[in-house]
Amino acid sequence: MTAANADPFAEFKAAQRELWALFAPVEIFTAAPAARLVRFAGIQSGQRVLDVACGTGVVAVTAARRGARVSGLDLSPALIERARKNAGTAGVEIDFTEGDVEALPYPDASFDVVLSQFGHMFGPRPAVAVQELLRVLKRGCRIAFSTWPPELFVGRNFALIARHMPSPTLPPGVDPPPSPALWGDPNVIRERLGAAVSNVLFERDTMIVPALSPQHFRMANEKVIGPLAKLVALLANDPATLADLRTDYEAMIAEVFEDNAVHQHFLMTRATKI
Ligand SMILES: C[S@@+](CC[C@H](N)C(=O)[O-])C[C@H]1O[C@@H](n2cnc3c(N)ncnc32)[C@H](O)[C@@H]1O
């Protein structure tokens, strides 16, 4: 990459790569929504499928167990390593690659289905991500993804974290990334996918995370949700702000805490590339 076309988000992505390395233990909770996304996308045996921002490969492995020929890509080498182990354990072959949703290392029209679960939403430039996701998808084929709506629990968590988090360091003149939660707003999704797709369809579902109390859930997430873990570390010398953050977070958790589980509603979207 020359200086002229250098990625202005290179530093931001390097930080993300480190943050998300903590995520592996959460796979036990994202495994069930992965099955929902794979079914919603209508994955069939023999299809060539890409799982973007695959993390530990929960969607990729689910699709491969249905007989699809799957590739998975993620920014985090630690999660890719875990994804390879997961594929081995499940007895499926998947081509996992370290990479960036904004620069997918696949030729045009490589895939019959492109999927992303709570993943592509973290690419800092939605227009670049959309261009890449649709570039590698064949015409007449499906893109499907799960995202967190801004007005619901996880979307509100993003806003809470953003309120306290220092802005990322970016080259002069480069706009900061929009909130990932905008990917959970159907109007924004329609606008971002634009005229390149047809048959846009939405469906809501729920990810259930068992926990003994809101406090237990908060403590567990402080260790495994990268952006939250980073913020807690940054506030180590500011106990008053850290205490406020924890109080606000636990109040939000309490709103969706029922029968010893946190109920996290998400949005699934699918569309056909024209
Ligand atoms: C919330 S996790 C979801 C992981 C997995 N899809 C799942 O459902 O368990 C978000 C993932 O996005 C990945 N990610 C963040 N920014 C990315 C980027 N620019 N390109 C590719 N992956 C990215 C992270 O490394 C992380 O694995």
Side-chain angles (χ1 to χ4, degrees), residues 94-185:
I94 298 173
D95 171 36
F96 285 112
T97 307
E98 190 186 321
D100 175 10
V101 60
E102 292 193 345
L104 295 174
Y106 310 102
D108 297 356
S110 299
F111 296 98
D112 302 305
V113 187
V114 171
L115 301 174
S116 187
Q117 172 168 274
F118 315 135
H120 81 287
M121 60 191 299
F122 296 104
R125 292 171 295 188
V128 179
V130 166
Q131 199 182 0
E132 279 298 89
L133 296 170
L134 293 178
R135 179 184 65 76
V136 301
L137 183 62
K138 296 177 188 168
R139 276 183 201 282
C141 288
R142 267 186 192 160
I143 178 171
F145 48 81
S146 298
T147 50
W148 301 111
E151 73 283 12
L152 301 180
F153 175 67
V154 180
R156 290 172 62 213
N157 293 178
F158 289 143
L160 177 65
I161 293 171
R163 208 178 309 144
H164 294 281
M165 189 77 99
S167 305
T169 314
L170 297 169
V174 175
D175 290 334
S179 168
L182 286 174
W183 269 115
D185 178 335

Side-chain angles (χ1 to χ4, degrees), residues 13 16 20 23 30 53-55 58 73-76 79 99-101 117-119 122-123:
K13 289 172 188 169
Q16 293 276 309
W20 287 111
F23 194 75
T30 59
C54 64
V58 289
L73 169 135
D74 198 278
L75 209 48
S76 162
L79 298 184
D100 175 10
V101 60
Q117 172 168 274
F118 315 135
F122 296 104

